[in-house]
Amino acid sequence: KNMGFNEYPLFSNKNLTDKNLGDTNDILLMGFSPKTLEVFYYPIKVEIGNNITKHSMNQIANAADSLKEFLFSDSSFKQKFYRNFFIQLFISNQQKLIFNNSFSEKSFDDIIKYKRELLNDEYMVSDRLNSIIGKGACISFNEDIAYHKLEKDDDLTIIELPIHNGYEGIVRSINDIEKDFREGNMDI
């Protein structure tokens, strides 16, 4: 029996690509607002040593559109299946971040508090932040960039950074980076 899945599932090339552009396998950020019980999905393409191309922008736009189609639409079995799949990853990754001391457990109190609602699909998938941050982002760490650049282009956020920012960010702790932002020693 067909359970609501068609021949092109969420992660197929047909859904993530635009005529042989390849697929994106970079980053999917997820966020949660406990006040409104909203979950946010935000795909990001990261380029190291390369300029952001239309190809990169198309990949992220297609990923965002596919996520919207498969997660926002109706409440069919297929949508519920995919929503549950991503929430399971969200909660699992949150637990790994705590276990590995990447973040404190306090940082995730709301996820722990609303875990039942998240696992029972009692939340809304939202794109209300898209008007501010776009439906996805392309980030480039490039040798040709001398300063930080942030702009919106075709509903995407484009961030260009000097390549040394990429290397420095890898070896610094989250707490140190956050502290620099709060004290005004770092910005985008």
Side-chain angles (χ1 to χ4, degrees):
K1 180 179 177 189
N2 183 342
M3 298 182 75
F5 293 96
N6 61 27
E7 60 187 282
Y8 302 113
L10 175 60
F11 301 111
S12 72
N13 270 351
K14 177 165 180 7
N15 284 322
L16 293 177
T17 64
D18 182 29
K19 297 187 175 102
N20 299 320
L21 290 177
D23 56 2
T24 182
N25 58 357
D26 288 297
I27 300 170
L28 178 63
L29 293 182
M30 292 178 65
F32 174 63
S33 172
K35 292 178 184 171
T36 56
L37 289 179
E38 291 174 289
V39 173
F40 306 92
Y41 295 90
Y42 195 70
I44 297 176
K45 174 81 175 159
V46 178
E47 298 282 354
I48 306 289
N50 298 316
N51 290 322
I52 294 171
T53 63
K54 279 292 181 191
H55 172 82
S56 299
M57 293 172 66
N58 285 339
Q59 286 180 321
I60 288 302
N62 289 335
D65 292 343
S66 291
L67 286 166
K68 186 168 185 167
E69 175 187 342
F70 281 84
L71 300 174
F72 288 61
S73 302
D74 56 43
S75 58
S76 70
F77 175 80
K78 179 173 61 175
Q79 272 75 24
K80 287 181 181 181
F81 177 86
Y82 285 124
R83 287 164 59 117
N84 184 267
F85 171 78
F86 281 112
I87 286 298
Q88 293 282 347
L89 288 176
F90 184 61
I91 292 169
S92 170
N93 285 328
Q94 166 253 328
Q95 291 168 344
K96 287 178 188 176
L97 289 169
I98 292 169
F99 180 77
N100 292 322
N101 295 317
S102 298
F103 289 93
S104 70
E105 193 163 347
K106 179 99 174 104
S107 302
F108 295 105
D109 281 351
D110 289 331
I111 297 169
I112 294 165
K113 181 178 177 182
Y114 292 100
K115 184 176 180 179
R116 187 192 66 77
E117 286 85 352
L118 291 169
L119 291 173
N120 287 309
D121 200 34
E122 296 171 2
Y123 61 89
M124 183 175 80
V125 178
S126 178
D127 62 357
R128 73 176 165 89
L129 299 177
N130 288 11
S131 62
I132 301 166
I133 61 173
K135 63 183 180 180
C138 293
I139 302 173
S140 172
F141 295 95
N142 197 318
E143 292 175 2
D144 299 333
I145 304 295
Y147 57 91
H148 299 171
K149 182 178 176 185
L150 173 69
E151 65 183 5
K152 267 183 79 178
D153 183 2
D154 293 329
D155 293 328
L156 297 175
T157 297
I158 308 299
I159 302 170
E160 295 178 302
L161 302 166
I163 198 161
H164 69 85
N165 286 150
Y167 298 131
E168 290 171 1
I170 291 172
V171 297
R172 297 187 64 213
S173 73
I174 297 291
N175 290 336
D176 288 345
I177 293 170
E178 181 181 3
K179 181 181 174 192
D180 280 352
F181 269 109
R182 288 181 193 264
E183 293 177 355
N185 299 327
M186 181 182 227
D187 65 6
I188 291 188

